[in-house]
Amino acid sequence: EVQLAESGGTLVQPGGSLRLSCEADGIFLVAYEMVWVRQAPGKGLEWVASISSGGDRKDYAPFAKGRFTISRDNAKNTVDLQMNNLMPQDTAMYYCAAPYNVGHYPTRLNEYQYWGQGTQVTVSS
């Protein structure tokens, strides 16, 4: 059984930092482009960042550029998201996921090949 498990979400003050981690079991992440997506209350699924299978290509949503950094450690089978200068509008459930097709990021979680249960990030003073 394939499992992706996100961790690291918590309550943080505006301007703070968090590092989210995604650990995989049952698959080797090295074979997949991986993404982080998020869903805020009452809103749709939003792509945050993606990283190629080898880690050489990273892409970010405009709101994430300069603040978030996606990385992966294929030896540890993990994908991380470092988030700095967090804002209240970053409040959301964050998910790691593996898309079926490189560069195609659906707006529904169940249209990804694999996804985790999510980790909640709340940015508030």
Side-chain angles (χ1 to χ4, degrees):
E1 180 184 2
V2 175
Q3 288 187 329
L4 297 180
E6 302 92 339
S7 62
T10 190
L11 172 65
V12 63
Q13 292 188 342
S17 298
L18 281 178
R19 189 175 185 87
L20 307 183
S21 187
C22 171
E23 296 186 42
D25 189 31
I27 58 168
F28 293 109
L29 293 184
V30 67
Y32 300 91
E33 179 192 33
M34 294 298 295
V35 305
W36 283 93
V37 294
R38 70 183 188 183
Q39 187 162 23
K43 296 188 177 181
L45 194 69
E46 183 176 42
W47 169 69
V48 177
S50 59
I51 186 167
S52 60
S53 59
D56 55 318
R57 181 184 173 102
K58 303 176 184 181
D59 292 299
Y60 299 92
F63 65 81
K65 283 183 180 178
R67 299 191 300 131
F68 295 2
T69 302
I70 190 171
S71 61
R72 68 191 299 158
D73 187 332
N74 287 332
K76 295 182 178 179
N77 222 23
T78 59
V79 178
D80 290 352
L81 184 70
Q82 176 68 41
M83 305 188 294
N84 299 327
N85 191 23
L86 283 161
M87 305 175 186
Q89 52 264 45
D90 294 318
T91 295
M93 185 72 80
Y94 284 72
Y95 303 88
C96 66
Y100 278 104
N101 299 306
V102 171
H104 178 61
Y105 312 132
T107 56
R108 296 179 182 178
L109 205 55
N110 61 7
E111 293 181 1
Y112 285 82
Q113 189 167 4
Y114 304 111
W115 66 93
Q117 293 301 305
T119 186
Q120 177 68 40
V121 172
T122 302
V123 185
S124 175
S125 55

